[in-house]
Amino acid sequence: MYPSRGSGQDMSRRVRQRVEENKVVSPSCCSVIGYEDLAPKPQHYVDWTSLSYDTVLLLFTRLNYRDRASLASTCRTWRSLGASSCLWTSLDLRPHKFDLSMASSLSTRCANLHKVRFRGLDSADAIVNLRARNLREISGDYCRKITDATLSMIAARHEALESLQLGPDFCERITSDAVKVIAFCCPKLRKLRLSGMRDVNSEAIESLSKHCPQLSDVGFLDCLNINEEALGKVASLRYLSVAGTISMNWRVAAESWEKLPRLTALDASRTSVDHVAVSRLFKSSQSLRVVCALNCPLLEHDVNFKGKLLIAKFDDNSKTPNDIFSHWRDLISNDETMRWIEWIISHSLLRMAESNSQALNNFWLNHGAKLLLRLMQSSQEDVQERAATGLATFIVVDDENASIDCGRAEAVMRDGGIRLLLTLAKSWREGLQSEAAKAIANLSVNANVAKAVAEEGGIDVLAGLAKSMNRLVAEEAAGGLWNLSVGEEHKNEIAKAGGVNALVKLIFRWPNGCDGVLERAAGALANLAADDKCSTEVAKAGGVHALVMLARNCKYEGAQEQAARALANLAAHGDSNNNNAAVGQEAGALEALVQLTKSPHEGVQQEAAGALWNLSFDDKNRESIAAFGGVEALVALAKSCSDASTGLQERAAGALWGLSVSEANSIAIGQEGGISPLIALAGSEAEDVHETAAGALWNLAFNPGNALRIVAEGGVTALVHLCSSSVSKMARFMAALALAYMFDGRMDEYAMIGTSSESASKSVSLAGARIKALKHIESFVTTFMEPQVFAAAALSSAPSMLAQVSEKVRIPEAGHLRCSGSEIGRFVTMLRNPSPILKACAAFALVQFTIPGGRHAMHHASLMQNAGEARILRSAAAAANMPREAKIFAKIVLRNLEHHHQAECSKGKKSVIL
């Protein structure tokens, strides 16, 4: 016997990760593109070779580097145009593996390179090999491992450098020594922004003042210590940010900075600045116009300074973000200052979002979400990206458990954020595509937002982005499809949009070293495979091969877990499609899943065991699993999971249940020591666990040797407890049937084998266990017997009366159980057992297995008809020594067989006449 198990539960993770080495917060760039620019327009035939050079060059500028290279390869003329120096003034290297080899291949085109964006230490080391002596702007993130040596080398090779930005993650290995080298080597420096330095001493700052006369924008953000007095000597300063530096001495700072002749704007967000310092700076400085002090606890309320702007608090009377930015622009009347304000506010909002403080909840609901959406419409590319990243971050309250703040998510939706994000996701700028897709993915954890995303065409957008050759874009798009695929109503839409094919291709495109892509693609496929129709689409797209390849070769536990879950869901649709057999036939699939049950990661073990449980419903799969060591592996798993999650316990017991359908496997499980852990799991308080364990013990008890082991291991007590106490009718039912198998006489014959003294001892112990078991079997069956209904049924065999009894005793879940001919035959034989209790129990079981509407009722009826069991049932219904309830049950079974016989005849099929 085995159950027809349903598909695995949809799961959605992972929402967001904080800044770490292999998971990026990728800022990028692009102005908002209107829908009218994106709509397809009818085109007449165009001779592309007739286009002017200027037109083709403009076309090249709108492409990413990969597509630009592809287009340049089409002909000699375009190859020449593709190498034009005007196309190589800017490089965004973040999505690429930028190393020394790649730098050397690009170096011939970088003579006029002015701007570079990179990610990580390896890329930083390779920048000098570009030989871009005219480089003016360098911006890097994930710079935590960059050292003084690397930064000094970059500075020494690029004397024309005007802007250097490293962040927002902390540059913990960069010291003041590197700042001094920057000052000495880059005399044209205008902008310097560094995050997370431990100490910025006076010598470093004074070097900047001495060697960089044009330095006007300095940001030492989230540093542990800054020399305030030295900053007061950088006379060229116009814009200064010390956001996140808690240890500031604001008395010294105010006294020093009020003398700066050109200081226009100061960012003191997330510091201990107070009203005294702000007031002194505004009153004493002739040039200071703006102080930004977001999330500063010592600034309890705003203070108005005529002609000055303090950005500190937002209350219910504040203007809307659009009005606020217009108001600030009118007050400041300086575009450069407004661009600086946008940059520092986007940075502070991202840092505030990363802090995940519930104290800021009202701010996010009332003002923060609107500010981020407004900043996403900035003309500055990095501000747009950072705002999108902030939006993806501030809604998350627990990234490990994929938990978001629904109020914040719906605030974004109410303020038009979904449409704006989807518009940005359609941008030709890949950095913005990535961050917009990340925000959409996180928001879609909320069902209402997911619905809005789908209604706005978000599924088509994400399915398109999942086809991107940019790994970061594809990864975030796959995450969005993963979260959207949780909703049943979205699964078919994803398939129609080409999402299934895109997700499968992602696994083939990046099979190694791209853990985030693989986990998200497999997770989305797992959700889609839970739907019968979509599971067929996954198989047609090559999903079985892709997922098996992942299960066999990938070493990342997140991808292994989702691959196993996807295979489990593919195999969970029973007879509705042939995916179960297809997975089993895929080379290496079963062996890989058996090996994954030995993983050190519980999530991987759980999903692998679940997959083996589903796959074991196929006869060939069941035997192959055993041949690959599945019995030994699953018994070992069951023994080791006593303190594990209920999900793992359920699946370990379930997989053994599925394998035990085979008599050879059942015997092997008993001999391997599988009975003891199953008895332990049967004692679990979790309904799913003890129900599954009861099913496995029922199967095992069919073999008399196993039945004797169950008695010897104390299983009678466990099964009796389940039979009488479980809240699950199914658990009580299967426990009763296991006890019935154990004490129908076959185990007694097996126990008599041995010496006379051993046999006598066994006989005594079995007699006591038998009395206990039969008592609780009787009590179980009696709980379904309503006295008045049964009394009436005993007097009348009218169909309406039997139908009434049938409805009273029915256990709906029992319709999912599928028995073999030998199991059905054993219950029929039990109708002749001397024990009236076992007769009633056997008849009760046959009622459950044949009630019309049960998934396998027709199968069971055919087995009984083909074996001629109706004659025995008629005899039982008429026998004088048959208990009243057993007679009634036998009549109901005969009625059920007649019903199935008529149904078969109506289909024109042959059937054995009763």
Side-chain angles (χ1 to χ4, degrees):
M1 182 285 311
Y2 57 90
S4 300
R5 183 167 176 254
S7 57
Q9 180 183 6
D10 289 344
M11 292 188 288
S12 164
R13 56 180 291 253
R14 134 173 224 117
V15 178
R16 167 183 62 90
Q17 297 208 1
R18 302 187 187 281
V19 177
E20 55 187 36
E21 290 303 321
N22 63 347
K23 183 75 163 45
V24 294
V25 180
S26 57
S28 159
C29 36
C30 158
S31 57
V32 179
I33 297 177
Y35 282 109
E36 66 278 3
D37 299 322
L38 299 162
K41 298 179 176 63
Q43 297 289 337
H44 299 293
Y45 173 76
V46 175
D47 181 3
W48 293 99
T49 61
S50 68
L51 294 177
S52 68
Y53 279 16
D54 288 344
T55 302
V56 177
L57 277 175
L58 180 61
L59 177 62
F60 269 99
T61 64
R62 305 289 288 189
L63 299 176
N64 60 46
Y65 313 117
R66 187 183 304 103
D67 293 340
R68 194 180 294 171
S70 179
L71 190 59
S73 67
T74 56
C75 67
R76 187 176 302 169
T77 301
W78 283 13
R79 185 181 301 115
S80 176
L81 284 171
S84 299
S85 59
C86 63
L87 295 176
W88 298 92
T89 59
S90 175
L91 277 178
D92 185 354
L93 301 167
R94 293 172 299 166
H96 309 285
K97 183 181 179 181
F98 180 63
D99 52 20
L100 297 177
S101 175
M102 184 177 180
S104 296
S105 66
L106 289 174
S107 60
T108 57
R109 303 178 183 183
C110 294
N112 293 314
L113 185 64
H114 293 160
K115 181 178 179 179
V116 163
R117 304 185 75 178
F118 72 92
R119 172 164 291 140
L121 175 61
D122 291 340
S123 295
D125 287 334
I127 283 178
V128 295
N129 286 67
L130 287 173
R131 298 201 294 272
R133 305 293 297 187
N134 295 315
L135 200 57
R136 297 172 189 170
E137 296 183 41
I138 296 178
S139 177
D141 55 26
Y142 283 74
C143 299
R144 192 179 298 271
K145 293 184 178 180
I146 290 182
T147 62
D148 283 356
T150 299
L151 187 55
S152 297
M153 181 65 73
I154 291 174
R157 295 289 183 90
H158 302 99
E159 297 177 1
L161 200 63
E162 296 178 2
S163 174
L164 175 62
Q165 301 184 70
L166 300 180
D169 50 317
F170 293 175
C171 305
E172 297 172 336
R173 299 187 181 185
I174 295 176
T175 71
S176 293
D177 291 339
V179 176
K180 287 188 284 186
V181 174
I182 293 169
F184 183 78
C185 295
C186 306
K188 297 181 181 180
L189 195 66
R190 296 174 180 271
K191 181 188 296 181
L192 177 65
R193 292 171 179 165
L194 301 174
S195 295
M197 290 181 60
R198 295 183 181 276
D199 178 67
V200 187
N201 62 32
S202 60
E203 290 183 17
I205 296 172
E206 288 169 3
S207 293
L208 291 170
S209 176
K210 178 179 178 181
H211 298 290
C212 304
Q214 301 178 69
L215 184 62
S216 61
D217 186 338
V218 169
F220 293 123
L221 303 102
D222 298 291
C223 297
L224 291 180
N225 183 53
I226 300 172
N227 190 290
E228 303 89 349
E229 188 175 356
L231 279 172
K233 299 177 183 179
V234 187
S236 58
L237 267 184
R238 292 194 64 201
Y239 304 104
L240 174 61
S241 176
V242 291
T245 303
I246 302 298
S247 60
M248 295 288 297
N249 185 327
W250 282 103
R251 182 187 63 78
V252 174
E255 182 180 334
S256 302
W257 300 349
E258 68 184 11
K259 302 170 186 176
L260 288 168
R262 303 183 63 200
L263 185 63
T264 303
L266 169 67
D267 177 20
S269 299
R270 300 176 293 113
T271 69
S272 58
V273 67
D274 55 19
H275 284 290
V276 174
V278 172
S279 298
R280 176 169 182 173
L281 284 166
F282 269 141
K283 291 175 181 178
S284 303
S285 174
Q286 299 298 311
S287 58
L288 187 63
R289 301 290 305 280
V290 179
V291 171
C292 183
L294 291 175
N295 198 26
C296 294
L298 298 184
L299 282 177
E300 297 177 356
H301 56 83
D302 284 335
V303 176
N304 292 322
F305 299 92
K306 188 174 182 179
K308 310 280 188 176
L309 175 60
L310 173 63
I311 305 172
K313 297 289 182 180
F314 293 90
D315 54 40
D316 294 336
N317 296 320
S318 298
K319 301 176 186 292
T320 65
N322 285 330
D323 293 338
I324 275 185
F325 277 87
S326 297
H327 172 69
W328 292 345
R329 190 176 300 277
D330 293 340
L331 184 63
I332 300 304
S333 301
N334 185 292
D335 289 342
E336 183 183 31
T337 302
M338 279 305 302
R339 287 195 294 272
W340 179 85
I341 288 174
E342 287 184 342
W343 193 94
I344 58 99
I345 289 180
S346 68
H347 185 278
S348 283
L349 290 177
L350 177 57
R351 280 291 186 235
M352 290 160 65
E354 289 173 338
S355 71
N356 202 13
S357 171
Q358 284 301 306
L360 294 172
N361 192 52
N362 288 334
F363 166 76
W364 289 122
L365 291 174
N366 298 322
H367 307 289
K370 295 183 178 70
L371 285 169
L372 288 169
L373 293 175
R374 168 59 182 80
L375 290 168
M376 284 169 56
Q377 301 171 68
S378 168
S379 61
Q380 299 181 81
E381 300 163 357
D382 54 347
V383 169
Q384 283 185 297
E385 283 194 26
R386 196 174 293 109
T389 305
L391 201 67
T393 304
F394 94 102
I395 59 173
V396 179
V397 293
D398 184 355
D399 56 353
E400 289 298 327
N401 296 306
S403 177
I404 69 169
D405 188 297
C406 293
R408 297 179 189 180
E410 294 184 6
V412 173
M413 182 173 65
R414 284 194 304 270
D415 294 327
I418 302 303
R419 182 166 297 182
L420 176 58
L421 283 166
L422 288 173
T423 304
L424 297 181
K426 299 172 188 177
S427 162
W428 60 280
R429 300 282 189 178
E430 292 178 326
L432 194 53
Q433 289 175 356
S434 173
E435 294 310 313
K438 180 189 295 184
I440 293 167
N442 288 2
L443 286 162
S444 297
V445 172
N446 178 279
N448 293 330
V449 178
K451 181 180 179 182
V453 169
E455 290 173 349
E456 293 285 351
I459 288 176
D460 285 325
V461 173
L462 291 172
L465 293 179
K467 300 172 186 176
S468 173
M469 296 300 292
N470 182 312
R471 179 180 60 82
L472 302 180
V473 174
E475 179 176 330
E476 300 303 343
L481 293 174
W482 187 0
N483 287 346
L484 282 167
S485 62
V486 171
E488 293 297 324
E489 67 275 22
H490 305 317
K491 287 181 168 65
N492 286 319
E493 290 183 56
I494 292 172
K496 289 177 183 177
V500 171
N501 283 295
L503 291 164
V504 171
K505 288 179 180 178
L506 282 182
I507 296 175
F508 289 123
R509 186 178 302 145
W510 285 296
N512 300 306
C514 300
D515 298 340
V517 176
L518 297 175
E519 179 182 18
R520 295 173 189 210
L525 289 171
N527 284 357
L528 293 168
D531 176 84
D532 186 17
K533 185 177 179 180
C534 288
S535 72
T536 303
E537 294 298 319
V538 172
K540 286 181 180 178
V544 173
H545 180 62
L547 292 164
V548 169
M549 180 184 75
L550 206 55
R552 293 180 67 185
N553 302 328
C554 184
K555 303 303 180 185
Y556 173 55
E557 65 273 13
Q560 290 176 336
E561 179 179 340
Q562 296 309 317
R565 186 169 72 91
L567 292 170
N569 284 355
L570 280 170
H573 299 283
D575 300 329
S576 62
N577 60 48
N578 64 352
N579 285 346
N580 193 306
V583 173
Q585 291 166 7
E586 182 68 30
L590 300 179
E591 185 177 9
L593 289 168
V594 169
Q595 291 302 312
L596 289 181
T597 64
K598 304 173 185 179
S599 167
H601 303 283
E602 185 174 311
V604 178
Q605 293 176 327
Q606 176 175 312
E607 299 305 337
L612 291 172
W613 183 4
N614 285 354
L615 289 163
S616 66
F617 299 154
D618 179 89
D619 293 343
K620 291 183 179 179
N621 287 346
R622 189 162 52 246
E623 302 314 314
S624 296
I625 291 168
F628 286 122
V631 169
E632 295 81 0
L634 290 165
V635 168
L637 185 61
K639 289 179 178 179
S640 67
C641 70
S642 57
D643 296 323
S645 67
T646 57
L648 176 55
Q649 292 176 341
E650 178 198 7
R651 286 163 176 79
L656 288 172
W657 184 3
L659 287 183
S660 63
V661 171
S662 158
E663 183 175 4
N665 289 346
S666 177
I667 294 171
I669 290 169
Q671 293 175 342
E672 192 66 27
I675 288 174
S676 179
L678 285 169
I679 291 173
L681 293 176
S684 169
E685 294 183 2
E687 181 179 334
D688 289 341
V689 177
H690 67 237
E691 185 177 290
T692 310
L697 289 170
W698 172 26
N699 269 9
L700 292 170
F702 189 85
N703 176 270
N706 283 338
L708 195 59
R709 288 190 182 94
I710 293 173
V711 175
E713 296 283 353
V716 173
T717 301
L719 289 168
V720 161
H721 177 74
L722 280 185
C723 188
S724 60
S725 305
S726 175
V727 296
S728 164
K729 287 183 180 180
M730 274 290 284
R732 291 163 57 204
F733 177 50
M734 291 187 291
L737 297 188
L739 290 169
Y741 274 172
M742 292 163 63
F743 295 103
D744 67 351
R746 297 192 187 187
M747 181 179 64
D748 296 29
E749 296 173 5
Y750 184 85
M752 294 305 293
I753 300 173
T755 64
S756 57
S757 59
E758 288 175 344
S759 299
S761 175
K762 290 178 183 177
S763 177
V764 172
S765 62
L766 290 178
R770 176 186 173 87
I771 294 171
K772 185 177 182 180
L774 293 180
K775 175 183 176 182
H776 286 85
I777 293 173
E778 182 179 25
S779 297
F780 166 73
V781 175
T782 302
T783 58
F784 291 86
M785 296 166 53
E786 190 170 313
Q788 292 181 342
V789 175
F790 270 78
L795 299 174
S796 171
S797 297
S800 59
M801 181 56 64
L802 293 178
Q804 189 175 352
V805 175
S806 181
E807 189 59 34
K808 291 288 184 183
V809 303
R810 182 177 188 179
I811 302 174
E813 298 84 358
H816 293 284
L817 299 173
R818 181 183 176 97
C819 296
S820 66
S822 59
E823 289 174 306
I824 292 294
R826 186 159 179 177
F827 286 115
V828 173
T829 301
M830 212 178 289
L831 292 173
R832 299 172 174 173
N833 194 283
S835 167
I837 294 173
L838 290 179
K839 289 177 180 177
C841 180
F844 178 84
L846 292 171
V847 168
Q848 303 301 330
F849 297 144
T850 58
I851 289 179
R855 184 171 180 179
H856 301 292
M858 185 73 76
H859 163 72
H860 296 145
S862 295
L863 291 175
M864 295 180 72
Q865 289 168 347
N866 293 335
E869 308 288 19
R871 290 187 294 272
I872 299 175
L873 285 164
R874 287 195 186 94
S875 298
N881 63 344
M882 186 68 67
R884 181 187 67 172
E885 59 272 19
K887 289 183 178 182
I888 296 171
F889 292 148
K891 293 175 183 178
I892 294 173
V893 175
L894 286 168
R895 176 175 169 273
N896 292 344
L897 295 181
E898 179 63 27
H899 171 88
H900 294 302
H901 170 65
Q902 292 173 355
E904 286 291 297
C905 290
S906 67
K907 295 178 182 178
K909 295 180 180 179
K910 282 188 174 183
S911 180
V912 176
I913 298 176
L914 296 174

